[in-house]
Amino acid sequence: MTALGMATRAFFGAAGWCLVVALLGHLDRRRAARAVGRTPVPLPSGRHRVYAYLGAAVLPVYVLHQPVVVAVAYFVVGWNAPIPVEYAAIVLISLALTLSVYELLVRHTRVTRFLRGMRVNTPDRPPRPGTSPRSRCQ
């Protein structure tokens, strides 16, 4: 709890947040380029759908992953296995559970989409019948 230790932890935390903001800003460049009228380089056919799915899932998956990782790790650390095996198990099981929770409980439910900060109509989810494409952007 020295001043140097506290300053180091504060800078480390600030650096982490700056990295997250930089990554999100970099990922949003494609949308900004479209908004100004510039057309970005077209993506190969299947990648566009993957990017649209993952782009809509960023915030909910970020919020959901922490409790899932903690719960999985609670059970896995008691195993009698080498650390790399436990680590791989935690990563793979928590990834599968987080994406499953997102897909089953968040993505297809209007209330949970709102509670997780997602738009109701996104590129990976078609608009409801009777709504115009302009109402999706507002």
Side-chain angles (χ1 to χ4, degrees):
M1 295 306 281
T2 66
L4 179 61
M6 292 173 59
T8 303
R9 284 189 288 277
F11 285 129
F12 184 75
W17 277 105
C18 288
L19 179 63
V20 168
V21 169
L23 287 172
L24 292 175
H26 178 70
L27 293 173
D28 197 43
R29 287 176 53 174
R30 295 183 74 79
R31 186 181 317 156
R34 262 189 232 117
V36 220
R38 296 185 316 217
T39 307
V41 178
L43 295 171
S45 60
R47 288 177 57 187
H48 178 69
R49 288 196 305 209
V50 172
Y51 284 144
Y53 179 84
L54 293 176
V58 168
L59 180 62
V61 168
Y62 175 74
V63 172
L64 290 170
H65 90 279
Q66 181 66 31
V68 172
V69 169
V70 170
V72 169
Y74 178 79
F75 293 105
V76 171
V77 294
W79 292 359
N80 227 0
I83 298 291
V85 172
E86 290 181 359
Y87 177 76
I90 291 171
V91 169
L92 294 175
I93 294 169
S94 59
L95 176 67
L97 286 176
T98 302
L99 291 178
S100 298
V101 167
Y102 166 70
E103 184 66 30
L104 298 173
L105 300 178
V106 176
R107 185 167 179 244
H108 296 291
T109 308
R110 193 175 177 93
V111 172
T112 54
R113 288 179 69 84
F114 173 75
L115 291 175
R116 295 286 179 203
M118 299 173 65
R119 291 184 179 146
V120 176
N121 294 324
T122 57
D124 69 319
R125 182 182 175 127
R128 294 185 321 247
T131 60
S132 69
R134 290 193 70 73
S135 65
R136 286 179 33 192
C137 298
Q138 297 172 355

